[in-house]
Amino acid sequence: MRGADALLQPLTAGAMQLANRIWMAPLTRLRSIEPGDVPGPLASTYYRQRASAGLIVSEAAHISPQAKGYAGAPGIFSPEQVKAWQGVTEAVHAAGGRIVLQLWHVGRVSHCEVQPGGLAPVAPSALPSQGRTSLRDAEGRPVRAACSVPRALERVELPGIVDAYAMATRRARQAGFDGVEIHAAHGYLLQQFLCSGSNQRTDDYGGVIENRARLCLEAVDACCAEWSSGHVGIRIFPFPPMPDLTDDDPQGNAFYLVEQLAQRHLAYLHVSEPDWVGGAELPEAFREGLRARYPGVIVGSGAYTVEDAVVRLERGWIDAVAFGRAFIANPDLPARIRHDRLWATPDSGTFYGGGAAGYTDYPVMGD
Ligand SMILES: Cc1cc2nc3c(=O)[nH]c(=O)nc-3n(C[C@H](O)[C@H](O)[C@H](O)COP(=O)(O)O)c2cc1C
């Protein structure tokens, strides 16, 4: 068997039967309609064009108005949003694809301007993110902006956030998705709770890792209770290379979380690897440790080549690969891998905001 053929083999991920192991990673494109945060008119076409992925993980969708951080990102809390997402899932299914919705609460990676009532964003502790978010200018174009200083969540507010994950799962199911992916990566709310540097709480959601992981695991359990564990995946981001996401024991804490997740028999564990944003490559010992603790489906993502994916699949470290930027420019990426064709280069100037250009106008092979 040719190396890349291993990626073209079918895979069962929880309740989902997938045609291949080449997944489309979640990609925020900031083309939704405001007000309302409703997926735009081209979203169905965009996702349908990419339906040959083994699984599409949608762009992140905020689970409540408070969970929003980026102007132009879609939500999953209103009937209008559900209706628009229905168009997307129908288009993908008609083309033979599978698609899960990525569930997002940004926490402190937000701005008063996109928060309900112009209020401060929320976080485990009142520590600002050093990252930036994206707003819209008067012409609707995306503009980068420093994040607003957050306020610390009250203990009594946390059950409401867990409920919002469950409600979002219910709506994703209504919208016809094949499952949901909990976004516990990239320094958003759940990872803000997980990391000791961003979580300085003194209640039972702060302090030791068992406490810092509590909100994340409660969100997971709420989504599983709402649907079933076979329809729930999660994305994690071990060793985040951001200065405001320091951790007392990055490897030990990641292993703790993964052990807890393994007990829940989720559809999959999606590992966003840190080297695509300037971090070091994951050490082999860490990959071995992850596999030893997680017998289910592991998906690797982040600056992967086909060769990386094949080697890591053969070594048993991953079961599938998720490509991000390559899927933007190559809607038919699995066919290009199958036929060993060249990949088009994505234009980063059209990643965020705008219309069809750089979104639905990338050709497939032979066009
Ligand atoms: C334009 C863009 C938008 C992204 N949006 C998301 C997102 O919504 N959720 C998420 O978990 N990761 C997001 N990511 C990260 C990607 O899923 C992926 O991890 C990253 O692009 C590295 O993979 P690649 O080297 O194959 O592109 C985004 C990346 C890019 C370039």
Side-chain angles (χ1 to χ4, degrees), residues 25-28 60 102 183 186 235 276 301-303 323-325 351-352:
L27 292 160
T28 289
Q102 193 184 45
H183 194 347
H186 302 164
R235 195 171 215 214
W276 74 280
S301 185
F323 289 106
R325 289 161 291 184
F351 279 180
Y352 303 110

Side-chain angles (χ1 to χ4, degrees), residues 71-303:
I76 182 69
F77 52 86
S78 76
E80 295 73 26
Q81 293 159 356
V82 170
K83 191 155 177 280
W85 283 122
Q86 251 158 8
V88 169
T89 62
E90 279 163 15
V92 170
H93 290 155
R98 294 279 173 273
I99 180 167
V100 297
L101 183 71
Q102 193 184 45
L103 303 184
W104 205 13
H105 192 311
V106 298
R108 68 183 183 177
V109 185
S110 184
H111 194 282
C112 300
E113 214 176 276
V114 295
Q115 283 290 304
L119 296 172
V122 299
S125 304
L127 300 166
S129 164
Q130 293 171 29
R132 289 189 300 167
T133 183
S134 186
L135 305 174
R136 277 180 173 168
D137 68 13
E139 277 76 49
R141 287 184 300 247
V143 280
R144 302 293 275 163
C147 297
S148 302
V149 177
R151 71 171 175 85
L153 281 157
E154 301 287 339
R155 171 78 175 67
V156 292
E157 294 177 274
L158 300 181
I161 290 181
V162 174
D163 282 350
Y165 278 95
M167 281 306 296
T169 302
R170 181 177 302 183
R171 293 197 164 101
R173 191 176 182 180
Q174 282 166 2
F177 283 97
D178 296 284
V180 292
E181 175 177 292
I182 295 169
H183 194 347
H186 302 164
Y188 297 111
L189 184 74
L190 296 177
Q191 193 163 28
Q192 290 159 30
F193 269 84
L194 284 163
C195 290
S196 58
S198 45
N199 180 348
Q200 298 183 357
R201 301 179 73 87
T202 52
D203 61 14
D204 53 342
Y205 287 83
V208 294
I209 183 63
E210 288 81 356
N211 287 351
R212 302 200 313 268
R214 194 179 307 282
L215 187 69
C216 181
L217 294 172
E218 285 179 351
V220 169
D221 290 340
C223 296
C224 293
E226 181 59 45
W227 196 339
S228 88
S229 58
H231 292 280
V232 176
I234 186 166
R235 195 171 215 214
I236 62 168
F237 189 44
F239 305 99
M242 290 99 132
D244 55 357
L245 275 183
T246 52
D247 202 9
D248 52 7
D249 179 7
Q251 173 161 307
N253 293 335
F255 283 165
Y256 170 79
L257 179 64
V258 164
E259 282 166 8
Q260 298 301 308
L261 294 170
Q263 293 172 20
R264 287 160 166 86
H265 307 290
L266 302 179
Y268 63 86
L269 174 70
H270 191 168
V271 182
S272 173
E273 302 184 11
D275 47 329
W276 74 280
V277 272
E281 208 176 285
L282 288 182
E284 287 199 4
F286 180 78
R287 295 185 190 281
E288 295 281 355
L290 210 61
R291 176 45 91 198
R293 288 167 178 81
Y294 197 87
V297 170
I298 297 180
V299 191
S301 185

